Amino acid sequence: MDKKNKANNIIMFIFIIGVLIYALIQQQILFGIIAAGVIYIAFRYLKKGFEANVPNLLIDNSENEEAPFEDATGAHAGALLGDVRHDPFQSGGMETPTHNRVEPGAIQKADNGVLFIDEINTLDVRSQQKLMTAIQEGEFSITGQSERSSGAMVQTEPVPTNFIMVAAGNMDAIENMHPALRDRLRGYGYEVYMDDTIDDTPEARRKYARFVAQEVQRDEDIPHFEKDAIEEVVLEAKRKAGKKGKITLKLRNLGGIVRTAGDIAKEEGRKYVSRDDVLEAKEMSQSIETQYVDGMIETKKSYDQGSNDTEEVGRVNGLAVMGDDSGIVLPVMGKVTPSQNKNKGEIIATGKLQEIAREAVDNVSAIIKDIGKVDFTSKDIHVQFVQTHEGVDGDSASVTVAAAIISAMENIPIKQNIAMTGSLSVRGDVLPVGGVTHKIEAAAKYGLDTVIIPKANENDVMVEEEYRDKINIIPVSHITEVLNIALVDDEDGRKKDLLKRLSKLENAPKID
């Protein structure tokens, strides 16, 4: 009940009491009661008729000292745009309170304030279109959002919607966003891509220590961390950044490690969390992809046809990343056969590897044409990523594919204790790729002892301490270096002859 209605009711009450007192003085009690009843009924019906013509105040920010902030994340159409309930009004002098039929949504409540929507692509297309109208026009009428209800027949006068909208989401949110709505956002504001890493500075590390303390305090049930435990958390943050001199800003997974380490220390009855607790927590907090890959590595080691102390023509141990933090060894097989088509050769690849293989082979063909001897038009090139139908995304396997094809063409074996990763240019340059740290660790888990990586990724390597002595990391900048390391030396001089021809390529280093 608002202040005005309360005052009116008090006046009515005083007036009726006055009538009853006057009737008591005049000894006309029955007359007074009847008069009071008539006055009450008349007041109620006159009041109802008056209020029927007075708009109901739905939103009142007059007493707020701060601008309104509405979080409409995950809101359905009615909660976002306003709705009209179709609950029937009750009648009679003793009716119970009813729902307000017209109910404002977040866009109306946020007028002269801020409307926040996270994962904006989750809004259905119709809601995005109406939101676009509210942003552009600065007003939006409230109507029933259900087409089958009586509320859909009600439409208010336009309600102001002059808000500042802040929309958030991942890259997929941009892809699935209504293009016209995104156009309005760019037209009335600007887009900001948030950094997912920061520079590794003493100040940033202090902030990470504060983050650990905040997670402990928020949990309220785990002990605080020792200095070396915090340092291990910071090291993991550096690893997740994937670049030297950077620290990740993706804190959700790190928060999980902090809480898991705290639970371990608590179960052991320790007063503080130690570095060993963090290491154990990292092992326990592995992603599904990492757990799957580790199991697959053990299986592959049991059944792998290759061996660390063998050599094989056309087979190369490639490296890929599954998920965000899981490396995997993917052997690549290459074979060159006479073409079955007299006019041109074909690239034959398994599963979804056709596009990846074609790009790699196109780059290899450009190199081979420079060094002569092989006519691609008369050859069919077969490429297979062993034990996978999907292959890898991007071109991080192009160096691997190139090495496998060249090995098959020249009939020179590849050392099977070596794994490699890198992108390849048409000039033979080895270009940087992502996930080198996780790829190197995967090779170490697999039992390989040497990994070839792009020289541009040399500073991105942050291998766990347990793997540092198990793997030899060789950075390279050209395909000539890759082949010099990976190909087996032979008495027939085929490798020496190949390297001599490769030395004619642009930017090719001199090989002794």
Side-chain angles (χ1 to χ4, degrees), residues 273-336:
V273 178
S274 67
R275 177 176 178 272
D276 290 338
D277 294 329
V278 177
L279 292 174
E280 185 176 349
K282 287 167 59 176
E283 187 71 23
M284 294 175 61
S285 301
Q286 288 181 336
S287 65
I288 294 295
E289 291 87 353
T290 301
Q291 297 175 48
Y292 170 75
V293 167
D294 285 349
M296 190 160 54
I297 287 175
E298 291 300 318
T299 302
K300 281 195 171 193
K301 286 171 66 176
S302 301
Y303 295 99
D304 187 22
Q305 296 177 356
S307 174
N308 289 354
D309 56 1
T310 63
E311 53 198 45
E312 191 171 340
V313 174
R315 184 187 188 279
V316 183
N317 292 312
L319 297 168
V321 174
M322 179 179 291
D324 294 328
D325 57 358
S326 306
I328 185 170
V329 177
L330 284 180
V332 176
M333 304 285 283
K335 188 172 181 63
V336 180

Side-chain angles (χ1 to χ4, degrees), residues 465-478:
E465 188 174 342
E466 61 180 300
Y467 302 118
R468 292 174 188 170
D469 296 333
K470 297 180 180 179
I471 202 84
N472 179 31
I473 303 168
I474 305 177
V476 299
S477 57
H478 199 270

